[in-house]
Each structure stands twice: as C-alpha cells, then as structure tokens.
Amino acid sequence: MLRGIKRLNRYEKRLLRIAKLGGKLVKINQAGFSRRTDEGFRFPIYSLEIGTKEGLEKHPVGITAGVHGLETIGIQILIDFLEYIISPKSTGFLPELKKGKLGLVVIPIVNPGGVAAKTRSNPGGVDLMRNSGIDAEKPLPFFGGQKFSNKLPYFRGHGLEPESRTLSRTVFEKFFHVQDSILPVLDLHSGFGTVDNVWWPYAYTHRPCTDTALYEKIASHFKDHCGHINFAYGPQSASYTTHGDLWDKFYDHYQDLYSEQGSWSSKFLPLTLEVGTWSDIKEEPMKLFSKKGIFRPAEHNKSEVLTRYRGFLRDFVRLGLTKPKDWTETQ
C-alpha cells in the first residue's frame, strides 16, 4: 500500500498547487471521508470549486474521477486539464471562470482508499459503480455486480458507501437547485474497449432516458461543431448493462424531483468519459498480466494521452454557458 499512498500524496500535492495557482478563483474543501481501512484509517475526499460565487451558483459544471482506484489515468487527465485552464498564461485558460459565467465543481479522487490500496473497490471491498442499489434489467453476469462477497470483484455492498454518499451530497447541493441552466457533469473512467466512449444514462436498462434527444444533440455538437469525431457516443447500456450505477441513481432522483414541474427548465446531464485503453494490447501484451495494465495506456504514449483530452474537456465545460432553450431552438 505504501506505493499507492505515495502516488495519492503526489496527486494531492498537485491539487494544492492548482489551488495556489488559481488564487481566489480556486477553493479546496474536504467533502467527506473514505470507508475505514482495516487499520482504522479514513482517507479524506477533497473537492475543488473553481470560479466566482456567481458562476458556481448559477452555472456549475462538474467533473469527477478516481471512482475506481485502479483507473488513475482519469485522475491524471483531470489534473492536467485543471492546470491547463487555470493558469492565465495557458492557451487553454477559461476567462469565463473569472467573469462569473461558469463555475467548476470537481472531485478529482472519489475513491482515495482504492487509489492508496491499488484496488478497483473502496477499502470495504465495494465497487462504487455498482453501489447505488438499482437493480439492472438483464445485467452482465457477475461483471454487472454481485452480492456474494466483498472478497470478489464488483461487490455491490449493502447500502451507500461513504464515498458514494459524499458524491451524492455534492451533486445534490451544487446542482439540484440551480434554475434555468444546463448542468453537465462528467465522470472519468478507463479500461473498457479500444475506443473512447462518451456515455449517458442509462446503465441499468435499454430504455431511453428522458433527455435522450438532448444528449443526441450534444453528441452532434461535439462531433460536428467541435470536431470530436473519434469518440463513440450513446447510452452506457448500448455497451453493457450493470447494477448500481451511481449516475443512474442521481439522474432518476433529479427526474423524480422536477419532471412534473412544468416551470422547471434546468437539465441535469451526467455523462461518462470511458477512456479506451485496450487498443495498445497488441503493442504491449504484458499489460494483460498487470493489475493496472488494462486500465492505463502504454507507457510510450502516456504523455500524449494525458493531453489528448484537453480540447474535449474544455468544450464539455463550455456546455455550461448554454441554456436549455438554446438546445430546443437549434438542430
């Protein structure tokens, strides 16, 4: 675990540098704690709020990473992106953050205990993306989530874990009460497939979600107007179905709160960026025998991968500049 803790400390030091670089524009908070380890230790979970009070209250955009402790490439991509947009000298600097037109809410490492232990699950052996309690329709056997034992992968747990509750509380407090806004939240993962996927709800059913038409318009915007043509866009269930996806739970909770309120126009839009890291297995077949191998890119192009997503993430964040009516009046 020592190597994992050192890696976690390096990430946290970079987050502190980002907070220092951003000055008054960046606020770092302790949002919660991890599940307690066997040794009795609980890792803090940090969040960053980037932007002015007005931007964060009226136009928040969310990005999370590190839900699975083995998928650290997502954490690194996110930290690189934050450094890219925070520095005033950077070509990627987002002036809208300073002008109050956008606010960014970030949880860079949702599962610090998993990162430290170098495990997919949290310290309690629970896979957080199988933890929401939602039962899927025809999920993949075992991979889709299991309740047999926390000694086996994809354990669903017996209730929301501390990390899941921290994420749920943050999403509810920062996004659920914002009016007349597009509220996009992106969760970074890695390890599935040979191409990069951008998924929207649902993971538990093949039935289309309420905002499918809007998600399809956003996908067309990314491809046709932003040039992000190398991603596969669609609901997660088009790739596979699973129990317990947290974003399905949050999305449905939002729909339950506001679907019958005719005057409510905001749209809460969770998305997942799944970085496909299987494409270089032919070049580096030994990845298959490494604990983290299939969840990270080959070492020879790791630096390129870390910077490859800057443009996509920047365009994703800029979705927060739009209003719901902008999407009904176009395309």
Side-chain angles (χ1 to χ4, degrees):
M1 179 181 281
L2 183 58
R3 290 180 62 186
I5 291 175
K6 288 181 177 179
R7 181 183 296 111
L8 180 63
N9 287 340
R10 288 199 299 270
Y11 296 154
E12 291 176 346
K13 286 179 180 178
R14 289 183 68 184
L15 295 176
L16 291 173
R17 287 200 297 269
I18 289 170
K20 184 177 180 180
L21 181 64
K24 294 181 179 180
L25 206 61
V26 180
K27 180 181 178 182
I28 188 166
N29 307 297
Q30 186 171 307
F33 287 94
S34 73
R35 167 66 64 188
R36 197 180 301 275
T37 67
D38 291 340
E39 296 79 18
F41 184 76
R42 300 173 70 195
F43 292 91
I45 301 171
Y46 295 108
S47 68
L48 277 71
E49 296 180 7
I50 304 173
T52 65
K53 185 174 184 289
E54 180 183 10
L56 287 162
E57 289 181 350
K58 295 183 178 180
H59 307 285
V61 176
I63 309 180
T64 62
V67 170
H68 293 135
L70 291 177
E71 299 175 16
T72 56
I73 191 65
I75 299 170
Q76 295 173 64
I77 288 170
L78 177 50
I79 291 175
D80 171 82
F81 174 69
L82 295 179
E83 293 171 340
Y84 176 63
I85 63 169
I86 287 299
S87 174
K89 297 180 180 179
S90 169
T91 56
F93 180 69
L94 273 174
E96 293 89 349
L97 292 170
K98 194 171 184 179
K99 294 177 180 178
K101 296 182 179 180
L102 279 175
L104 197 53
V105 179
V106 181
I107 302 183
I109 311 171
V110 175
N111 180 14
V115 173
K118 296 190 288 186
T119 59
R120 176 183 172 92
S121 64
N122 75 348
V126 176
D127 186 324
L128 300 178
M129 270 303 143
R130 306 291 186 271
N131 183 229
S132 76
I134 294 178
D135 292 326
E137 301 169 4
K138 299 180 180 179
L140 286 177
F142 192 71
F143 175 78
Q146 54 86 15
K147 291 185 176 180
F148 302 116
S149 171
N150 65 351
K151 305 299 181 184
L152 298 172
Y154 314 116
F155 180 60
R156 298 175 62 185
H158 302 295
L160 280 184
E161 291 293 296
E163 299 89 347
S164 302
R165 292 199 300 270
T166 296
L167 185 58
S168 176
R169 183 171 59 251
T170 301
V171 167
F172 183 83
E173 291 177 354
K174 302 301 180 182
F175 295 93
F176 273 36
H177 306 295
V178 181
Q179 299 185 37
D180 192 30
S181 293
I182 291 292
L183 305 169
V185 181
L186 185 69
D187 190 22
L188 293 169
H189 287 259
S190 66
F192 176 82
T194 58
V195 299
D196 297 329
N197 287 274
V198 177
W199 288 325
W200 58 75
Y202 289 114
Y204 75 91
T205 178
H206 289 285
R207 288 183 288 109
C209 71
T210 302
D211 294 304
T212 292
L214 177 53
Y215 276 120
E216 290 174 343
K217 287 183 178 181
I218 289 173
S220 295
H221 169 75
F222 282 145
K223 289 186 290 186
D224 300 337
H225 298 286
C226 303
H228 304 302
I229 60 174
N230 295 321
F231 296 86
Y233 300 86
Q236 182 175 330
S237 59
S239 298
Y240 57 86
T241 54
T242 71
H243 296 298
D245 186 283
L246 290 172
W247 297 108
D248 285 356
K249 180 181 181 68
F250 303 156
Y251 179 82
D252 277 351
H253 185 191
Y254 190 86
Q255 295 301 312
D256 290 343
L257 286 174
Y258 298 118
S259 61
E260 296 182 1
Q261 293 189 25
S263 61
W264 191 265
S265 63
S266 286
K267 294 290 185 179
F268 173 66
L269 301 172
L271 288 158
T272 296
L273 171 58
E274 180 84 4
V275 177
T277 51
W278 297 356
S279 58
D280 51 23
I281 287 177
K282 287 185 179 179
E283 302 173 38
E284 212 172 274
M286 293 306 294
K287 285 177 61 170
L288 292 170
F289 303 98
S290 168
K291 190 175 182 180
K292 289 179 58 178
I294 62 171
F295 300 107
R296 62 184 180 189
E299 288 300 323
H300 70 270
N301 67 344
K302 184 176 178 181
S303 296
E304 177 193 343
V305 169
L306 290 181
T307 59
R308 182 188 302 167
Y309 300 95
R310 288 176 175 178
F312 176 81
L313 290 175
R314 196 172 188 274
D315 289 331
F316 168 80
V317 170
R318 290 177 63 84
L319 290 176
L321 295 171
T322 67
K323 295 280 189 179
K325 66 179 181 180
D326 298 331
W327 297 95
T328 59
E329 295 172 356
T330 60
Q331 303 183 11

